[in-house]
Amino acid sequence: MTTTIPDTTTMTIDSTENLTVGPELARSWLLVNGSQPARFDVAANSAADAVVLDVEDSVAPADKAQARENVLEWLGTSTEDGEQNRAWVRINGFGTAWWEDDLRALRDVPGLDGVMLAMTESPEHVTRTAEMLRGTRIVALVETARGVQNLQAIATARSTYRLAFGIGDYRRDTGFGENPMALAYTRSQFTIASRAANLPGPIDGPAVGALGAKLAEATGVTTEFGMTGKLCLMPEQTATVNEGLSPSLSELSWATDFLGEFEAEGGQIRNGSDLPRLARARKVLGLASAFGMRLPEGYDMHFEAPTDTYHC
């Protein structure tokens, strides 16, 4: 649950430089239709941690070849500042008529950060893709009941970089509703499989059309289930998702206070709660640093330790 903060203070974001968040920590994954190249630069200039040019679900079969060419052209060019355009690409699923063509086209493309493999249902889908794109990061997008049944094996496949949950296709496959309780078991399985395989946290599916409070609520569900990324369908969603999947003001305040107190008392373990609190505090502050976050000047509020760090 999110802690209610009793004032209107907001987090300070360090904007002295363009901060790049690596894919292992990326919170917002912005999908962009490959048939609409005019949107590529807009996406690249948004708050998205990762841009994913899509040649799969959002592209009609008749338009896939052109969408692929649009993506290749953009990835092969540079910005006005001379920097290489960079993005991920969501490719068509293993066994489809376009999967192999996608992989052949993407070999050695300079701006390719990685691929998101649609409709992943087995570790073989990942390993076969990796054989075609050696050294390329692969996010396994799991979207069916069969894929969820094989999550552990997919997560432990050598070339799986991160797991992602394709909610729309999964709901169509299973008949589940959109209520978070209906998808609670599935979301939990993504997090458990990721943690057991020592992968970064999984990427949750998008909140279609949601903005403002509704999107913040959906992002809260993502956090509640231990997922650390979320697919976005509009640039306008990315800032809210980034905020929701970052350490909160209360977490950062507590971590700063705890570490200051711990070090002031000699940095020695005092009781059974210190070890989990130390690990949590270091994780919070590490994420805050990676995301360019810091407490506001003069901030002086104190919060209780997270409930899962109490010794019992």
Side-chain angles (χ1 to χ4, degrees):
M1 301 293 293
T2 18
T3 304
T4 301
I5 301 171
D7 69 0
T8 57
T9 309
T10 57
M11 196 81 72
T12 299
I13 305 297
D14 187 357
S15 57
T16 56
E17 58 179 344
N18 292 326
L19 196 67
T20 300
V21 177
E24 72 282 354
L25 296 178
R27 301 154 295 181
S28 52
W29 293 71
L30 177 59
L31 285 165
V32 187
N33 189 327
S35 295
Q36 300 175 348
R39 297 187 177 186
F40 295 176
D41 285 336
V42 174
N45 292 320
S46 73
D49 287 340
V51 172
V52 186
L53 306 181
D54 186 19
V55 297
E56 193 248 352
D57 214 20
S58 65
V59 180
D63 298 330
K64 286 187 183 290
Q66 183 58 57
R68 190 188 301 122
E69 286 302 314
N70 295 340
V71 168
L72 293 174
E73 180 180 353
W74 190 82
L75 290 176
T77 57
S78 300
T79 67
E80 293 181 356
D81 297 330
E83 295 185 5
Q84 176 70 53
N85 284 328
R86 305 203 63 87
W88 289 67
V89 177
R90 180 164 74 169
I91 60 174
N92 290 278
F94 177 85
T96 65
W98 308 281
W99 170 78
E100 190 168 345
D101 288 340
D102 289 345
L103 298 182
R104 290 188 189 282
L106 289 169
R107 281 179 177 171
D108 302 320
V109 172
L112 182 66
D113 283 332
V115 297
M116 183 174 286
L117 177 61
M119 290 291 175
T120 306
E121 291 190 328
S122 77
E124 180 191 10
H125 293 183
V126 178
T127 56
R128 291 285 299 277
T129 299
E131 289 170 2
M132 297 277 286
L133 286 177
R134 294 195 179 278
T136 301
R137 300 183 186 99
I138 300 172
V139 168
L141 181 62
V142 178
E143 309 180 73
T144 63
R146 181 176 296 176
V148 170
Q149 278 198 323
N150 291 326
L151 266 176
Q152 183 177 355
I154 293 169
T156 54
R158 180 181 299 177
S159 299
T160 299
Y161 184 76
R162 203 165 169 180
L163 298 177
F165 182 19
I167 288 180
D169 281 309
Y170 180 75
R171 288 183 54 214
R172 283 187 287 274
D173 185 41
T174 59
F176 283 138
E178 65 179 346
N179 188 293
M181 286 301 297
L183 299 173
Y185 171 81
T186 307
R187 282 193 169 99
S188 299
Q189 293 309 298
F190 274 86
T191 301
I192 292 167
S194 295
R195 186 69 193 97
N198 202 29
L199 298 179
I203 302 162
D204 198 8
V208 180
L211 291 170
K214 186 175 181 181
L215 178 58
E217 182 180 354
T219 306
V221 171
T222 299
T223 303
E224 190 74 11
F225 284 94
M227 307 177 93
T228 59
K230 191 170 185 64
L231 294 173
C232 298
L233 303 180
M234 301 180 289
E236 295 81 3
Q237 293 180 321
T238 57
T240 300
V241 167
N242 287 346
E243 181 179 0
L245 296 182
S246 298
S248 66
L249 188 59
S250 60
E251 289 172 324
L252 187 52
S253 178
W254 168 79
T256 302
D257 285 348
F258 172 78
L259 274 183
E261 174 196 328
F262 181 78
E263 290 168 2
E265 294 189 10
Q268 299 295 318
I269 299 300
R270 301 159 298 185
N271 56 58
S273 295
D274 270 351
L275 278 175
R277 290 180 184 180
L278 190 59
R280 171 66 73 85
R282 286 173 173 166
K283 180 178 180 180
V284 167
L285 293 178
L287 288 172
S289 176
F291 300 149
M293 303 164 58
R294 54 189 172 84
L295 289 174
E297 270 313 307
Y299 184 80
D300 187 25
M301 292 189 68
H302 308 281
F303 294 85
E304 294 295 321
T307 56
D308 62 351
T309 64
Y310 281 90
H311 178 60
C312 56

